[in-house]
Amino acid sequence: MTKIFDDRIKKKSFKGIDKIRPTQFEKNKEVEIKRIADRYKNKEYKFIPYLEILRNKGRNKAPRMISSPTVRDKITLTALKEYLHRQFPESVPNKLANCVVRELKQKIDSDNYNFYYRTDIKSFYDEINRTRLLDFLAKKVTNSKTIKVLTDSIENVTIPHNESKRNSNNYVTAKGIPQGLPISNILAQIYLKKIDNHFSQNNICYFRFVDDIIILTN
């Protein structure tokens, strides 16, 4: 966790709902990281509500809500991401968007396909079934402490900037996973892996990038 902070977080300028930046966290780094480890081992780790950040998606579209964790929680979530990458290597996103587009263009230019089907998954992150996702995770994550922290990270609330943490119960949701967390992408990949496998096994020219899907066919 110390290496995660030093290599990936220390030089960033974000802050969570507690308004503590990495430069401030570093002053008490050793104590805080030991506290994370102790609370994890004792199943006492609790996430602080994520900070709501709204990103404009364009005219007539609702903004995308990004969840920003505290520095402490970002360290924990990044460690969880690395763990999930080791447990689910087949679900690790390994292609950038421009690589997927380049491969798609090559297939189209080959003239082997006459039709395409394009779709996306509406409100993908917000509609993910948590029970189903946790069932997928439990197939390879057998440590009860890790399952608890993963579950808590998914169920943790995201609240607006000026809202009091005392009112966090007003923002509890029954489904979906927060966007913008270190684990968001790998969880999304794990959730859709069965769909990817289905299309791949049927020899269909299938492309998916997060929730956007294109299929080429005759």
Side-chain angles (χ1 to χ4, degrees), residues 66-107:
I66 302 299
S67 299
S68 179
T70 63
V71 176
R72 185 204 69 173
D73 288 342
K74 189 155 189 171
I75 294 170
T76 304
L77 291 164
T78 304
L80 283 173
K81 181 189 78 171
E82 293 191 350
Y83 172 79
L84 290 173
H85 279 205
R86 292 194 298 271
Q87 296 300 105
F88 297 88
E90 71 283 356
S91 296
V92 176
N94 55 13
K95 288 183 181 180
L96 298 174
N98 60 340
C99 295
V100 177
V101 171
R102 189 182 308 119
E103 188 177 342
L104 172 61
K105 185 177 184 302
Q106 290 172 349
K107 293 290 185 180

Side-chain angles (χ1 to χ4, degrees), residues 32 54 59 72 77 96 100 108 131 145 158 198 204:
E32 290 293 341
L54 300 179
R59 184 180 296 181
R72 185 204 69 173
L77 291 164
L96 298 174
V100 177
I108 293 172
T131 301
K145 297 173 185 176
T158 300
H198 171 77
I204 292 171

Side-chain angles (χ1 to χ4, degrees), residues 20-60:
I20 294 176
R21 296 185 183 275
T23 50
Q24 297 167 287
F25 183 92
E26 188 176 19
K27 297 174 183 176
N28 205 28
K29 178 179 67 175
E30 293 182 6
V31 173
E32 290 293 341
I33 288 176
K34 183 179 185 304
R35 189 173 294 154
I36 292 172
D38 290 343
R39 289 179 178 176
Y40 167 79
K41 292 173 184 176
N42 296 324
K43 292 187 177 182
E44 295 175 348
Y45 191 93
K46 293 185 183 298
F47 287 89
I48 297 171
Y50 304 133
L51 175 64
E52 175 187 280
I53 298 175
L54 300 179
R55 296 275 170 82
N56 191 351
K57 293 174 62 178
R59 184 180 296 181
N60 300 325

